[in-house]
């Protein structure tokens, strides 16, 4: 497998509007387990997000762009509640299938909208913090610039985009490690395609430019952080 460059031509199976709905449902449900194991949002919360939320003198407003089935919001909302932090989480995803899954979760302190970043901007919405998980690798060069610009305009303090760091070890470990969770889902095929579509740290830093910083908070993960403009 050649992982020396991004393969932007790959398309994930679950992005097909005509994909098997049962497999899609199972995939979205199991993202909760997968993301807790590999996405690193617990560490990002402890090292980046908790301090931002605690400094506000009112309930924080956090937006998750491309929120899928809502598992990242469920995780972060639980961590904030455990720490006694007041926060309201909004998930936005333009895919009605993901939106339906998210709204069925009934997460305390969270709401979900079937919308993308541009629609939220048109409505005049604003949030203290904007995050995303596994969105950036889906985007081509022009789409990426549009997305990160919109995310900064929606945020008043900071933006945090989490994604995969492309590499052979990540590919090999995921291919083996996902096996127990993969039956009946798109997890294995789409996960491996995601790795092949993803950036390496220097690539993403170059693509984003100033004022973004790109770090690796946990193994095989990238975190792009930039200031809000809202």
């Amino acid at each position: 497998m050649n992982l020396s460059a991004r393969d932007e031509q790959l398309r994930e199976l679950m992005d097909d509007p005509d994909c098997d709905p049962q497999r899609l449902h199972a995939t979205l449900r199991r993202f909760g387990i997968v993301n807790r194991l590999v996405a690193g949002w617990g560490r990002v919360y402890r090292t980046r997000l908790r301090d931002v939320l605690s400094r506000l003198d009112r309930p924080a407003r956090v937006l998750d762009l491309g929120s899928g089935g809502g598992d990242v919001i469920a995780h972060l909302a639980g961590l904030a509640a455990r720490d006694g932090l007041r926060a309201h989480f909004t998930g936005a995803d333009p895919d009605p299938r993901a939106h339906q899954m998210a709204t069925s979760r009934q997460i305390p302190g969270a709401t979900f909208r079937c919308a993308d970043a541009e629609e939220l901007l048109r409505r005049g919405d604003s949030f203290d913090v904007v995050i995303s998980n596994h969105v950036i690798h889906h985007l081509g060069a022009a789409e990426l610039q549009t997305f990160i610009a919109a995310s900064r305009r929606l945020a008043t303090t900071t933006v945090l985009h989490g994604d995969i760091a492309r590499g052979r070890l990540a590919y090999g470990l995921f291919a083996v490690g996902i096996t127990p969770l993969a039956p009946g889902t798109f997890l294995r095929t789409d996960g491996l395609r995601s790795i092949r579509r993803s950036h390496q740290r220097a690539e993403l830093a170059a693509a984003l430019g100033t004022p973004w910083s790109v770090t690796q908070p946990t193994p095989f993960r990238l975190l792009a952080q930039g200031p809000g403009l809202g």
Side-chain angles (χ1 to χ4, degrees):
M1 178 62 60
N2 182 7
L3 294 171
S4 62
R6 293 186 69 201
D7 189 343
E8 295 186 41
Q9 303 308 310
L10 287 173
R11 186 181 187 190
E12 296 183 22
L13 299 177
M14 64 183 296
D15 290 339
D16 183 346
D18 296 320
C19 71
D20 184 325
Q22 292 185 333
R23 289 170 69 88
L24 176 64
H25 183 82
T27 301
L28 292 171
R29 286 186 63 85
R30 292 184 197 173
F31 272 156
I33 299 173
V34 175
N35 282 326
R36 287 203 181 215
L37 290 173
V38 304
W41 281 102
R43 180 172 178 78
V44 172
Y45 169 80
R46 293 189 301 272
T47 61
R48 310 290 180 96
L49 186 55
R50 180 168 55 189
D51 185 56
V52 175
L53 303 185
S54 65
R55 289 200 304 264
L56 297 172
D57 58 1
R58 52 170 173 74
R61 302 160 299 166
V62 182
L63 170 67
D64 181 5
L65 286 173
S67 53
D71 59 277
V72 172
I73 281 182
H75 186 196
L76 295 177
L79 293 174
R82 182 199 64 188
D83 289 339
L85 297 176
R86 297 180 300 160
H88 183 84
F89 291 82
T90 299
D93 198 302
D95 188 330
R97 304 167 303 173
H99 177 68
Q100 182 179 19
M101 167 69 79
T103 54
S104 71
R105 298 176 66 99
Q106 299 182 344
I107 303 166
T111 57
F112 293 92
R113 301 185 189 179
C114 192
D116 60 13
E118 296 297 330
E119 184 171 346
L120 297 178
L121 285 170
R122 288 194 295 271
R123 294 177 182 176
D125 290 331
S126 178
F127 303 86
D128 299 299
V129 179
V130 173
I131 68 170
S132 77
N133 181 62
H134 290 176
V135 173
I136 284 179
H137 72 262
H138 286 271
L139 308 176
E143 294 171 317
L144 177 60
Q145 296 305 315
T146 299
F147 178 73
I148 64 170
S151 69
R152 290 189 65 200
R153 290 169 61 197
L154 285 164
T156 61
T157 63
T158 193
V159 181
L160 300 166
H161 294 307
D163 214 322
I164 305 162
R166 189 181 77 253
R168 285 188 172 277
L169 185 56
Y171 190 91
L173 290 176
F174 184 86
V176 175
I178 198 63
T179 300
L181 296 172
T185 74
F186 300 124
L187 285 173
R188 192 175 191 278
T189 298
D190 280 2
L192 295 175
R193 291 185 180 187
S194 293
I195 295 171
R196 292 170 63 187
R197 283 191 59 98
S198 296
H199 298 80
Q200 294 180 346
R201 181 178 176 180
E203 292 172 345
L204 184 56
L208 298 181
T210 306
W212 293 89
S213 66
V214 179
T215 57
Q216 291 192 253
T218 59
F220 318 123
R221 297 290 302 177
L222 299 176
L223 183 71
Q225 182 168 0
L229 293 173

